[in-house]
Amino acid sequence: MTALEPRDADVPRLIEDVDAPAPVEPVLPEGILGRTHRALSIGIVSVVFLIAFEATAVGTAMPVAARELDGIALYAFAFSAYFTTSLFAMVLSGQWADRRGPLAPLAAGISAFGAGLLLSGTAGSMWMFIAGRAVQGLGGGLVIVALYVVISRAYPEHLRPSILAAFAASWVIPSVVGPLAAGSVTEHLGWRWVFIGIPVLVVFPLALALPEIRRMASGPADPAAPVEAYDRRRILLALAISLGAALLQYAGQERNWLALLPAAAGAALLVPAVRGLLPPGTGRAARGLPAVVLLRGVAAGSFIAAESFVPLMLVTQRGLSPTLAGLSLAAGGGTWALGSYVQSRPRLEQHREPLMVGAMVLVALSIAAAPAVLITSVPVWTVAVAWAFGCFGMGVVIASTSVLLLKLSAPEEAGANSAALQISDGLSNVLLLAAGGAAFAALGGGALDAAHEAAKTAASTSHPAAFAVVFFPMAAVALAGAWVAGRVRANA
């Protein structure tokens, strides 16, 4: 027998090998653009893209609109009206989506968002313009919470970081193109076309997203369970938090003793409303969901409040044009998306908590570094570099808090908890911005409008110390967020 001839003991094995079926290659799981989720992903990301474009474009056209409507004195209310109604709509959307599914609140929200834009775009007076912004805020609040519920129901847990990263990426192009496009349209066609033109773009994402949401995420989370009645107490608390926030914002703009009255009334409304709408233990950063909700507010509030003063600082202290000052923040859209992408990598899931801690430290350092441009020998591009790093940290934290919130929420609680996350985000924005604006004005910063119209009026009165008293406290708040980030895991 030669070495090439099989031994008898090998014959059965060889026959078995011949008869055995070929090994089946494992099927790789689909991504967010796989066949199952492709249309839904494109549709809801397109919705976020339009919201991002609206936020950047409308902010550019707003000063011209207020001037032509003789409403500069009411300018701040065009922003606070949106914020106030969106807070209420967030709570309503959470209850609506938990009980009936996200399809109806999302459709209603997009419709209200478009109707508000049309109302503002055709307004003949500033008060009508503000009414349009209030309607738009209702739509925005309904949409953002409903989208989170769609993600919780339609996407498995391993795909949620990726779709949230796509949400962040959808802000990149609008952050650069939005101000330039809106400025060109405003200059050549008029500011009204900025508001009227955006609703037309809603048709495409609606045609894609709504049928897929109906198929994959409609109805209550548990169809067999009885549908609970709406929680009227939470709806009343939502009204209280909206009114309280509006009163505090108004008081922050009025620098006189009489402003203490609306401030006290606003605080009296806010405290019980916040305690009733946010998870128990949020105020003390209890581990798990309460810390996640608190971190969202700390991160968003400190960063957005500081960012609001960056263009004003560059215009009044370093002589940049408003367009160049606004574009100095454009790179942040790309790094924000990069941070959101980094947190979505599966191999980093087990390191999410230390990643968030490091990201908040990065945010704090970027806020503290930005006022270095108040020293004339420091290159003006320093603030753009610092802000790009801060946006990277924010991309990590904002997407991670969304991922953790959905992970820690039962399906039937996704709407209420998503509303709590957005309330923490929005409320901290207005409170910290009001505090920063009051400190800025107290140190000679001049009158601060809610947007960059202040860049024109405050140029002769602003002072470097007024900016420092905004940025350094916000950096301290962000640094405190690093401690909160260390408490986001419930089993730590």
Side-chain angles (χ1 to χ4, degrees), residues 72-136:
I72 294 295
L74 301 174
Y75 188 75
F77 289 99
F79 292 90
S80 61
Y82 182 101
F83 171 78
T84 300
T85 55
S86 66
L87 278 177
F88 169 73
M90 290 171 189
V91 177
L92 177 61
S93 182
Q95 293 202 35
W96 194 353
D98 282 341
R99 286 158 178 77
R100 303 293 183 183
L103 179 62
L106 182 62
I110 293 177
S111 300
F113 193 80
L117 284 167
L118 291 175
L119 184 59
S120 292
T122 57
S125 67
M126 190 61 182
W127 280 115
M128 185 62 68
F129 182 89
I130 292 171
R133 293 288 292 166
V135 174
Q136 191 183 344

Side-chain angles (χ1 to χ4, degrees), residues 152-237:
S152 72
R153 295 192 184 185
Y155 292 85
E157 186 173 321
H158 72 277
L159 288 182
R160 292 172 187 169
S162 296
I163 190 63
L164 289 169
F167 279 10
S170 66
W171 280 78
V172 175
I173 295 177
S175 67
V176 178
V177 176
L180 296 176
S184 179
V185 171
T186 300
E187 181 179 350
H188 294 95
L189 298 177
W191 64 267
R192 295 183 184 275
W193 286 102
V194 176
F195 290 84
I196 295 173
I198 293 176
V200 179
L201 304 176
V202 175
V203 176
F204 171 73
L206 277 180
L208 274 179
L210 294 186
E212 294 299 309
I213 294 173
R214 182 180 294 108
R215 181 175 65 88
M216 303 176 67
S218 62
D222 184 2
V227 178
E228 297 182 3
Y230 285 89
D231 189 338
R232 294 183 180 179
R233 176 178 175 273
R234 290 184 64 86
I235 293 177
L236 290 175
L237 290 176

Side-chain angles (χ1 to χ4, degrees), residues 386-406:
W387 223 247
F389 279 99
C391 285
F392 176 85
M394 287 295 291
V396 171
V397 172
I398 296 301
S400 291
T401 53
S402 300
V403 170
L404 289 173
L405 177 115
L406 296 177

Side-chain angles (χ1 to χ4, degrees), residues 206-478:
L206 277 180
L208 274 179
L210 294 186
E212 294 299 309
I213 294 173
R214 182 180 294 108
R215 181 175 65 88
M216 303 176 67
S218 62
D222 184 2
V227 178
E228 297 182 3
Y230 285 89
D231 189 338
R232 294 183 180 179
R233 176 178 175 273
R234 290 184 64 86
I235 293 177
L236 290 175
L237 290 176
L239 287 172
I241 204 172
S242 297
L243 181 57
L247 288 172
L248 283 177
Q249 191 174 35
Y250 170 79
Q253 296 171 354
E254 298 293 325
R255 298 185 301 278
N256 55 57
W257 289 105
L258 291 178
L260 293 176
L261 294 177
L269 289 170
L270 271 181
V271 172
V274 168
R275 290 174 62 89
L277 291 174
L278 300 186
T282 298
R284 54 184 174 84
R287 289 192 178 276
L289 183 62
V292 171
V293 172
L294 178 61
L295 177 61
R296 179 60 162 261
V298 169
S302 60
F303 191 77
I304 298 303
E307 186 179 60
S308 300
F309 288 86
V310 170
L312 180 61
M313 178 175 64
L314 294 176
V315 169
T316 62
Q317 304 302 307
R318 298 301 296 266
L320 267 67
S321 68
T323 301
L324 287 178
L327 288 176
S328 68
L329 305 177
T335 57
W336 190 306
L338 178 61
S340 186
Y341 171 79
V342 168
Q343 66 79 37
S344 70
R345 298 300 84 200
R347 65 177 179 274
L348 293 179
E349 175 59 34
Q350 60 181 330
H351 306 296
R352 186 176 295 279
E353 182 176 317
L355 183 66
M356 295 171 71
V357 172
M360 284 307 303
V361 172
L362 195 61
V363 171
L365 291 175
S366 72
I367 295 175
V373 296
L374 294 170
I375 304 172
T376 55
S377 60
V378 176
V380 73
W381 50 259
T382 302
V383 70
V385 175
W387 223 247
F389 279 99
C391 285
F392 176 85
M394 287 295 291
V396 171
V397 172
I398 296 301
S400 291
T401 53
S402 300
V403 170
L404 289 173
L405 177 115
L406 296 177
K407 185 176 182 179
L408 296 171
S409 300
E412 66 275 9
E413 297 175 345
N417 289 342
S418 297
L421 190 76
Q422 297 302 323
I423 288 172
S424 178
D425 187 319
L427 184 60
S428 64
N429 282 345
V430 73
L431 294 182
L432 290 178
L433 189 56
F440 179 78
L443 270 76
L448 182 67
D449 279 326
H452 305 315
E453 183 69 16
K456 301 176 181 178
T457 61
S460 62
T461 58
S462 58
H463 189 274
F467 291 98
V469 80
V470 172
F471 284 95
F472 292 134
M474 296 306 161
V477 173

